[in-house]
Amino acid sequence: MSAHCQLTGARPGFGNTISHSHRRTSRRFDPNIQRKRYWLPSEGRHVRLTLSARAIKTMDVIGVEAAVARIRARGGKV
């Protein structure tokens, strides 16, 4: 599963791990991605979305219908 949120578009960030001796090695900062299933009443079916933890909280506020509309507006497939 790719580390990519369908609602917010959160993707991995990149940086360095710095050791005690100050050597730098490359690393990835992945968003907290979860797969979650929601009931979509307008279509009478469940949808499975790949969301970040922050997007799950956003879904609680704006609702499933509005979130799916945002995902489709960004060109995402639901």
Side-chain angles (χ1 to χ4, degrees):
M1 167 173 49
S2 68
H4 165 248
C5 177
Q6 288 179 298
L7 181 60
T8 62
R11 290 184 181 270
F14 295 89
N16 291 308
T17 298
I18 303 179
S19 70
H20 178 70
S21 65
H22 219 64
R23 288 173 60 102
R24 291 175 169 90
T25 54
S26 187
R27 65 160 291 182
R28 231 168 97 135
F29 295 91
D30 286 329
N32 185 3
I33 298 294
Q34 310 293 325
R35 284 185 55 118
K36 198 146 165 64
R37 195 172 89 142
Y38 289 97
W39 175 252
L40 191 58
S42 63
E43 297 181 16
R45 67 185 183 105
H46 284 95
V47 291
R48 188 175 299 274
L49 301 173
T50 305
L51 303 171
S52 63
R54 188 180 72 190
I56 292 172
K57 294 174 189 174
T58 303
M59 288 281 266
D60 294 341
V61 174
I62 67 173
V64 178
E65 298 289 343
V68 168
R70 282 190 193 180
I71 292 169
R72 287 183 173 149
R74 295 181 75 231
K77 184 181 169 195
V78 177

